[in-house]
Amino acid sequence: MIISILTFIISGLLTALILPGLIKYFHSKHEGQIVFDKAPERHKAKNGVPTMGGISFILGSTLCVILILVNIDYKLKFVGILLMVWILFGLLGMFDDSIKLFNRQNDGLRAKNKFLLQLLIAFIFGILLFLNHFNTFGIEHFSWFYIIFIMFWLSGFSNAVNLTDGLDGLAAGLSLIAFVAYAFIAFRQNQLGVMVVCLAVSGSLVAFLFWNHTPAKIFMGDMGSLALGGLLSAISIVLHHSLSLLIIGGVFVIETLSVIVQITYFRKTGKRLFKMTPIHHHFEMMNWSEWKIDIIFWLVGIVLAIIGVCVF
């Protein structure tokens, strides 16, 4: 219990120490968000808001995990691999964000190239699990098919969180809820190392939300959203509850499905089913405030997380 509290607090404090300087730096360099041309009108005010804030909670939580785990005598299997996923997806997102900032446009890496790099990181994760004798349903059943599943699972959910990151605080709040849920599952399984990772990220996200809630002073950028989705899906696999993410991360799934349904419906009928997707923009177009959307989506996320923890 003491380790849990310390992890949460230390990670939050480290992130809180990083953020003010980071915001000041981006303002001094005049580097900020480039709003998508077709975004809702109210988003025009977000132009110039510093982005790449994901570096704060990636750095804060990683330092915290290292500080905590080097001081406890416990089996740390898979924690290093999870941190690798966390950092590599973050670096991929940072590269994508950097291209946008350098070119002063909303487009970063080509979708195909980004997806291939996501698959590569996930492939490395799968191979490392195999080399570390990860027990899926019995080690004899760990196959190339499962590694392919891991590749699409990690890339799929990193993109799902990325799609959800369209409103101030939305993705950060939903990710916080999901990581707390997995911290509880890890505790129940006595996987202390994984629990520490979950709580470190949770503490960092609480601190980040102070600057990211509407009106946001900083955005997480692709650096944050890709890393959060990649790590969430990796943790679900390490805890042997990969399918639980469909429930615990249910809002991310809904956001992604809304885009797929919209595209499919438009191609078949030439009409739009929703006013705009991902679906949080649909409610924006209905003149819902960002706070109202955030709170309702967070409440749905909490309910789904409780269901996911109880079911799995």
Side-chain angles (χ1 to χ4, degrees), residues 176-187:
L176 169 60
I177 293 164
F179 276 106
V180 170
Y182 279 116
F184 184 81
I185 292 174
F187 172 76

Side-chain angles (χ1 to χ4, degrees), residues 106-127:
N106 189 259
D107 295 324
L109 277 170
R110 291 183 179 180
K112 178 183 177 181
N113 293 337
K114 182 158 62 174
F115 183 61
L116 288 174
L117 288 171
Q118 289 172 308
L119 289 177
L120 176 61
I121 297 170
F123 175 76
I124 294 170
F125 170 69
I127 293 299

